Amino acid sequence: MTRDHRHGPDDELALRAAALEAVLVEKGLLSTDQIDAIVERYERDLGPQNGARVVARAWVDPAYRDRLRADATAAIGELGFGGFEGATMVALENTPDVHNVVVCTLCSCYPWPVLGLPPTWYKSPAYRARVVAEPRSVLREFGIELPAEARIRVWDSTSEVRYLVVPQRPAGTEGMGEEALAGLVTRDSMIGTGLARSPGA
């Protein structure tokens, strides 16, 4: 039985993917086990947990944070993450004064080695157009209410340069270790459409 990857009955992209999967299996080009193995690899080995480890290391290790700022590709590579979709990475730090958010206006360029599979909304024309034109409104829809004085910077990812947002470290995490901190980092916070979770949330 094939794995159901649909997020909802009206998700046209997921329906197309399911149809393509069925054809590949029917023609004997792929087995359902191979497809499940591919999906599991992206969920387990190429998921947002990798980016969360990068962020947590930057939160606890000032020297690593400096290396991440200077050469994100190399610093991310130190933790064993890299590859074609992460060949030229730039780290963007969120602060109380500046909030960074990432979009790919022309396609869906996305740093798979650190964030895994892109969410459906990231590839949608609505997000790609609106986050550039009205980022504050879009962020509000994601549940982020920024102070009026905070600046929002929208970064356009391309096939040449991909971005990783380093969210602000939540208050009350001073005594937490790196592994526990990584558990607070969400995929959306590394795109800039979310915040890191507070401890106990």
Side-chain angles (χ1 to χ4, degrees), residues 78-89:
E78 289 177 29
L79 299 185
F81 312 131
F84 177 71
E85 295 87 0
T88 307
M89 294 290 303

Side-chain angles (χ1 to χ4, degrees), residues 111-149:
W112 291 32
V114 287
L115 293 186
L117 297 171
T120 303
W121 56 260
Y122 183 84
K123 299 177 284 184
S124 72
Y127 173 75
R128 286 155 45 181
R130 290 189 58 228
V131 76
V132 174
E134 46 180 342
R136 197 171 293 271
S137 296
V138 171
L139 291 176
R140 191 174 295 122
E141 292 169 16
F142 276 96
I144 300 179
E145 190 66 54
L146 295 172
E149 63 274 14

Side-chain angles (χ1 to χ4, degrees), residues 1 10 19 22 24 28 47 78 89 113 119 129 147 156 161 168 174 176 182 195:
M1 174 178 285
D10 298 322
L24 291 171
E78 289 177 29
M89 294 290 303
D156 196 354
V161 180
Q168 292 184 72
E174 292 75 16
M176 294 177 67
L195 304 174

Side-chain angles (χ1 to χ4, degrees), residues 55 90 92-95 98-103 110-111 115 119 121-122 127 131 135-146 151-155 163-168 185-196:
V55 170
V90 173
L92 310 166
E93 283 189 276
N94 281 349
T95 70
V98 177
H99 185 92
N100 297 287
V101 63
V102 181
V103 65
Y110 194 74
L115 293 186
W121 56 260
Y122 183 84
Y127 173 75
V131 76
R136 197 171 293 271
S137 296
V138 171
L139 291 176
R140 191 174 295 122
E141 292 169 16
F142 276 96
I144 300 179
E145 190 66 54
L146 295 172
R151 289 180 295 143
I152 301 172
R153 290 184 179 160
V154 180
W155 299 83
Y163 299 97
L164 174 70
V165 174
V166 178
Q168 292 184 72
V185 182
T186 66
R187 177 202 63 202
D188 288 6
S189 72
M190 294 182 284
I191 297 173
T193 54
L195 304 174

Side-chain angles (χ1 to χ4, degrees), residues 1 5 12 15 18 21 31 33-34 38 41-42 51 53 55 62 71 96 133-134 137 142 147-148 159 163 182:
M1 174 178 285
H5 307 297
E12 185 180 327
L15 290 172
E21 179 180 318
S31 70
D33 288 344
Q34 288 172 312
I38 292 167
R41 172 162 160 67
Y42 277 101
R53 284 185 53 203
V55 170
D71 185 344
E134 46 180 342
S137 296
F142 276 96
S159 58
Y163 299 97

